[in-house]
Amino acid sequence: MMRPGVKQYVVARPLYSEDSFAEDHEKIYRHHKTMLDHVKQYFTCDSKRAKNAALSLLPVISWMKIYRIKEWLLSDIVSGVSTGLVAVLQGLAYCLLASLPAWYGLFSAFFPVITYFFLGTSRHISVGPFPVLCLMIGSVVTRLVPDEGQPLNITAFEGLSIDERRVLVAYSVTFLTGIMQLAMGMLQVGFVVMYLSDTLVSGFTTAAAIHILVSQLKFVLGLQVPGISGPLSIIYTLEIIFNKITSTNVCDVVISLVIMGVVFIVKEINDRFKSKLPVPIPIEVIMTVIACGVSFAFDFKTRYGIDTVGHIPKGYESPVAPNIHILQETAVEAFPMAIVGFAVAFSVAKVYSVKHDYTIDGNQELIAFGVSNIFGASFKSFAASTSLSRSAVQESTGGKTQVAGLLSAIIVMIVTLAIGFLLEPLPKSVLGAVVIVNLKGMLMQFSEVPYLWRRDKPDCMVWLGTCFASIILGLDLGLAVGLGMELISVVIRAQFKNVFTLQCDVNGKAPPQIYEPEGVKIFRIPSPIFFANIEFFRSKLVEAVGFNPLRVLRKRNKALRMIRKLLKKGDLQWTSKGFLNTSCGPIQESEDESNMEELDLPTDFKDLPVRIDWNAELPANIVVPSVDLHSLILDFAAVSFLDISALKGLKTALKELIRVEIDVYIVACDPYILEKLYHCCFFDDEVQPSMFFLTLHDAMLHILEKHPESTEKKSNYEKVKKTIMHYICKNQMQLIFQCFKYGIQNTSLFMLLCRF
């Protein structure tokens, strides 16, 4: 029933199969580049390409040319100072996660920022320590240089203190991480980040937040807890903390609770009134300054025995080289660090690039972080990425470009060279409290679980599996488990994709106002067909048609063999009224199992007096399953590729159906798949190109012309047309793609087809 006032259009065009469409419209063959062409193009160099290469390698040139000094400089200065103060505090705090002396965090907040200023494509992220990455470094450091017991037998450790050994391990693994990132960037494999889904990253970072929380408990409680790495490390750490809970330093606990309470409340105020505040209140910096002053005035270290940051050396150390033996020992841990560091930074950069309307290059970001980590490791910095909270400060305070990042590095440098001594009385419990409060965003990701369970259970299982594996087994093994579960979920979704016929949905319920013509099945395949799901596809096809075509074929060939035998013996004769049984006794069915291969061949009627009607009553009480289906339409609109195994399986399935006298039609097939079928010699005397039609509507009209008995009643015919038009409304652009495939030059014809 048409709604009043709704516009209509009517299209009249010939009925097209793929063959007839190709005959009427000449196909334009486009030149496809060979591997040699790509190699020549890659090594071809001219002035324009050299200029583009320089601009892509040094993105700073591109945005500095458009830098608006009057409009942007003041905003960048304000943002740089604010971000620099936060970077100093987070550098000290996150360094504790890496099991290193606190002042080395200032190096990570300075050196990587300098190189990223020239090489990075994001204008808003703040480069420096990232808590998850620091924790992964800490696990490597404590594995090679444990708090208790002997360190790994490495010659370079001789004569060094425990802190110096740990610093050596940290900057060596950072150097290797940078090498891996640089290599991936040079090889243009920035796409690897696509294999880390949002669900996997969310579960992984939530588990990392749990690890960070547990690692900071020893500072908040004032306990001496040795660093533990490897599987079940979090359980062993909690066991030690609970065993020593009676030795808790009350002063540390009080300081931590006060810091966490005040910082949490002010952060909530910042979030609620961020539209009214010119800049967020730097509450972490304020509380740190107050804690430093109070600790110094009342001599907390001597009077209450709390652990403080301690001596902070002035200046920077000379460049150093990594240790080869440590590189060999940490190669396995360095790779997930390279991936996680890049994935987090790229995700944050992508958010800000969309918000501020500019593009970022994943491969260039890999190069930028690779060089930053290599350069930083030379000055004893540990691996850098980006902190979500620090980047938010840089962007929300008005930062326009990486000039703000450069100014933040200058603030860090001033602290390192001149006023670092003011932070010496800072209690480590303050840093631990600041770290714990900043975990709120990551811990709140637990709220995603109910939503994922309701919307996408496989994704929910990936989240839970990644999270629990990372908590129990450690972050490196947990990431590997998460990737494995993600790949398994992809395989399961592709291999066991729901397929359905037109008259019913995947639950077997018939949609309203759907009519299926008699003797016709429409089978839609909603995914690519390949080696892993071809058997699933064939089983679902058998289920949809309601019978096994191979079994029916064998039954028919057995019946033909029986009829020939009876005719030869004279027990069966052909008359004008049909077959006549002349035998007096009952006819026994032959149990001859010889030549079983012949039963799989097409039925042959050449030596029989008449062609057998398999749906009619057969002579001599021979019973063969009846087949009410005469046409099957396979909708390939969602099939994007087929591999060789799928081609073989599909051809076998088509032959089995054709041999039981079912006309098979394939519609909306991608031109590249059709071209591949020709190249792979898919077609023969049985499987022919004429079974391919442009659209479902073309195939159905062809069937209705060939089998008019399906539309004897006009009312049913109208239902057929409405059903088909309703079904193909989602795929009406398929014909337009065919026009481009064959290069139609006739504008009026093209517009006519577009309207269809």
Side-chain angles (χ1 to χ4, degrees):
M1 187 74 180
M2 293 295 297
R3 299 193 307 273
V6 176
K7 294 183 178 180
Q8 304 179 49
Y9 64 84
V10 178
V11 176
R13 67 165 178 84
L15 188 156
Y16 279 126
S17 67
E18 289 281 354
D19 287 345
S20 61
F21 190 81
E23 291 174 1
D24 291 350
H25 305 96
E26 182 180 357
K27 182 177 179 180
I28 297 177
Y29 290 92
R30 293 175 174 84
H31 174 68
H32 296 285
K33 290 183 179 180
T34 63
M35 182 64 70
L36 182 61
D37 294 332
H38 286 289
V39 172
K40 287 181 179 179
Q41 183 180 2
Y42 184 80
F43 288 102
T44 300
C45 184
D46 53 29
S47 58
K48 183 178 180 181
R49 187 169 185 187
K51 180 181 177 181
N52 292 335
L55 291 176
S56 64
L57 191 60
L58 293 171
V60 64
I61 299 175
S62 300
W63 59 261
M64 283 297 286
K65 290 191 300 182
I66 61 172
Y67 192 83
R68 305 171 188 172
I69 297 178
K70 294 182 179 180
E71 300 176 23
W72 292 356
L73 184 58
L74 181 60
S75 298
D76 279 340
I77 291 174
V78 174
S79 175
V81 173
S82 303
T83 307
L85 295 174
V86 177
V88 170
L89 179 59
Q90 290 189 351
L92 296 172
Y94 294 159
C95 195
L96 300 180
L97 298 173
S99 302
L100 301 174
W103 68 83
Y104 281 98
L106 300 177
F107 298 169
S108 294
F110 175 73
F111 290 107
V113 180
I114 302 299
T115 50
Y116 189 85
F117 173 82
F118 295 99
L119 300 176
T121 58
S122 175
R123 304 176 193 173
H124 293 88
I125 65 171
S126 176
V127 177
F130 176 58
V132 177
L133 210 55
C134 294
L135 192 66
M136 297 176 77
I137 293 172
S139 66
V140 178
V141 167
T142 53
R143 181 176 69 85
L144 298 185
V145 188
D147 288 316
E148 298 176 355
Q150 293 297 320
L152 198 67
N153 186 17
I154 296 177
T155 307
F157 285 168
E158 296 179 2
L160 300 179
S161 65
I162 185 171
D163 284 343
E164 290 172 336
R165 292 172 180 174
R166 290 186 167 183
V167 171
L168 175 59
V169 172
Y171 72 71
S172 295
V173 72
T174 297
F175 184 89
L176 184 56
T177 300
I179 290 292
M180 291 180 176
Q181 289 176 332
L182 180 60
M184 288 191 290
M186 297 297 290
L187 295 174
Q188 304 286 295
V189 292
F191 63 86
V192 295
V193 72
M194 292 188 296
Y195 292 97
L196 300 179
S197 67
D198 292 342
T199 305
L200 184 146
V201 172
S202 176
F204 178 78
T205 53
T206 303
I210 300 294
H211 277 282
I212 294 170
L213 176 63
V214 172
S215 70
Q216 296 306 291
L217 288 179
K218 63 181 180 181
F219 299 112
V220 170
L221 299 175
L223 300 175
Q224 295 295 323
V225 179
I228 302 174
S229 62
L232 304 179
S233 60
I234 191 171
I235 296 177
Y236 298 140
T237 301
L238 288 172
E239 181 185 7
I240 295 173
I241 290 174
F242 287 131
N243 289 335
K244 295 185 176 183
I245 197 71
T246 55
S247 304
T248 299
N249 189 314
V250 177
C251 184
D252 275 322
V253 174
V254 172
I255 292 173
S256 300
L257 292 176
V258 171
I259 294 293
M260 284 191 286
V262 174
V263 172
F264 179 80
I265 292 172
V266 176
K267 276 183 170 289
E268 289 297 311
I269 294 174
N270 282 338
D271 290 339
R272 181 166 298 184
F273 299 102
K274 60 183 176 181
S275 60
K276 298 180 180 180
L277 293 172
V279 294
I281 301 172
I283 187 60
E284 296 104 325
V285 177
I286 295 173
M287 295 304 296
T288 301
V289 172
I290 294 174
C292 277
V294 174
S295 175
F296 176 76
F298 293 95
D299 195 14
F300 280 178
K301 182 174 183 180
T302 304
R303 184 174 297 181
Y304 301 106
I306 66 173
D307 194 10
T308 61
V309 170
H311 176 64
I312 298 180
K314 290 185 179 181
Y316 297 103
E317 302 184 25
S318 302
V320 292
N323 183 269
I324 300 299
H325 293 92
I326 296 177
L327 297 182
Q328 295 173 349
E329 289 289 335
T330 59
V332 176
E333 290 99 333
F335 183 71
M337 288 183 201
I339 297 297
V340 170
F342 167 66
V344 171
F346 185 75
S347 299
V348 177
K350 187 164 58 174
V351 170
Y352 289 123
S353 69
V354 172
K355 181 177 180 180
H356 295 278
D357 192 23
Y358 62 88
T359 59
I360 57 174
D361 184 353
N363 294 312
Q364 181 61 28
E365 286 293 293
L366 271 172
I367 294 174
F369 278 101
V371 174
S372 296
N373 284 323
I374 292 171
F375 179 69
S378 302
F379 292 92
K380 298 187 177 180
S381 163
F382 54 83
S385 179
T386 184
S387 168
L388 281 69
S389 59
R390 196 168 61 248
S391 296
V393 170
Q394 180 167 321
E395 192 267 343
S396 62
T397 52
K400 304 296 183 183
T401 63
Q402 281 299 327
V403 170
L406 187 62
L407 292 174
S408 71
I410 293 175
I411 298 297
V412 175
M413 182 182 66
I414 293 172
V415 173
T416 306
L417 298 178
I419 60 174
F421 67 93
L422 297 176
L423 297 172
E424 291 179 2
L426 178 65
K428 288 186 178 180
S429 56
V430 173
L431 299 177
V434 170
V435 171
I436 290 175
V437 171
N438 281 298
L439 295 177
K440 176 197 169 187
M442 289 192 285
L443 292 174
M444 288 299 291
Q445 293 176 135
F446 274 112
S447 62
E448 296 179 9
V449 175
Y451 172 82
L452 289 174
W453 182 256
R454 290 192 303 268
R455 303 296 182 184
D456 196 325
K457 288 182 174 58
D459 262 4
C460 184
M461 298 308 298
V462 170
W463 195 102
L464 293 173
T466 304
C467 183
F468 288 118
S470 299
I471 291 173
I472 302 300
L473 302 178
L475 295 181
D476 48 356
L477 294 177
L479 181 62
V481 170
L483 283 170
M485 293 187 66
E486 191 172 52
L487 292 176
I488 290 172
S489 72
V490 171
V491 171
I492 291 175
R493 290 174 196 251
Q495 186 169 353
F496 302 107
K497 187 76 174 179
N498 288 325
V499 291
F500 53 88
T501 53
L502 177 60
Q503 81 285 359
C504 63
D505 62 13
V506 293
N507 299 316
K509 298 178 180 179
Q513 298 180 348
I514 292 296
Y515 173 80
E516 183 185 40
E518 184 180 354
V520 181
K521 286 282 185 182
I522 303 173
F523 187 80
R524 181 175 179 269
I525 304 100
S527 71
I529 308 176
F530 56 103
F531 68 94
N533 67 354
I534 180 61
E535 291 303 322
F536 177 76
F537 159 74
R538 292 181 63 181
S539 65
K540 286 296 180 181
L541 184 59
V542 169
E543 182 181 326
V545 298
F547 60 89
N548 189 320
L550 184 59
R551 290 183 180 178
V552 172
L553 177 64
R554 289 174 176 173
K555 286 282 188 179
R556 290 184 179 183
N557 279 325
K558 280 186 177 181
L560 286 176
R561 182 183 293 180
M562 185 68 153
I563 291 172
R564 288 191 179 94
K565 186 175 181 181
L566 293 175
L567 288 172
K568 187 176 181 180
K569 288 183 176 181
D571 293 337
L572 193 66
Q573 292 182 357
W574 171 252
T575 67
S576 59
K577 296 182 180 181
F579 285 104
L580 177 64
N581 185 7
T582 59
S583 175
C584 297
I587 298 176
Q588 299 293 328
E589 184 176 352
S590 174
E591 298 294 334
D592 182 16
E593 297 294 332
S594 61
N595 298 325
M596 288 296 294
E597 295 82 2
E598 294 181 359
L599 299 180
D600 295 342
L601 297 177
T603 51
D604 185 7
F605 301 98
K606 63 180 181 180
D607 56 347
L608 295 178
V610 68
R611 187 180 181 89
I612 304 295
D613 182 3
W614 297 110
N615 289 326
E617 184 178 354
L618 299 179
N621 297 324
I622 297 174
V623 178
V624 173
S626 62
V627 176
D628 298 328
L629 189 68
H630 60 71
S631 299
L632 173 68
I633 300 177
L634 302 180
D635 186 353
F636 268 40
V639 180
S640 57
F641 74 89
L642 293 137
D643 65 3
I644 296 300
S645 299
L647 288 179
K648 293 179 180 178
L650 177 63
K651 188 171 184 177
T652 301
L654 295 180
K655 283 190 172 184
E656 291 174 357
L657 290 164
I658 292 171
R659 288 173 180 177
V660 293
E661 300 176 4
I662 294 177
D663 297 328
V664 183
Y665 304 94
I666 298 177
V667 302
C669 183
D670 188 280
Y672 298 103
I673 293 180
L674 194 57
E675 186 177 347
K676 183 175 182 178
L677 296 180
Y678 278 105
H679 289 325
C680 295
C681 302
F682 182 79
F683 301 108
D684 54 22
D685 293 338
E686 293 180 276
V687 181
Q688 298 181 355
S690 58
M691 67 169 54
F692 287 82
F693 281 76
L694 290 185
T695 67
L696 176 62
H697 196 197
D698 288 296
M700 183 56 74
L701 292 178
H702 174 78
I703 292 171
L704 297 180
E705 289 180 0
K706 187 174 181 180
H707 300 275
E709 68 276 4
S710 299
T711 56
E712 289 179 354
K713 296 182 180 180
K714 184 177 180 181
S715 59
N716 286 348
Y717 184 64
E718 294 298 323
K719 289 182 180 180
V720 170
K721 292 196 294 182
K722 289 180 181 180
T723 297
I724 300 306
M725 293 306 297
H726 171 76
Y727 181 76
I728 68 170
C729 65
K730 296 182 292 185
N731 299 321
Q732 56 185 287
M733 291 302 294
Q734 181 69 28
L735 194 58
I736 300 175
F737 297 150
Q738 297 288 343
C739 297
F740 286 110
K741 165 190 170 185
Y742 289 97
I744 295 178
Q745 305 297 326
N746 190 317
T747 306
S748 60
L749 177 59
F750 176 73
M751 293 304 297
L752 178 65
L753 295 175
C754 287
R755 291 177 62 193
F756 175 76

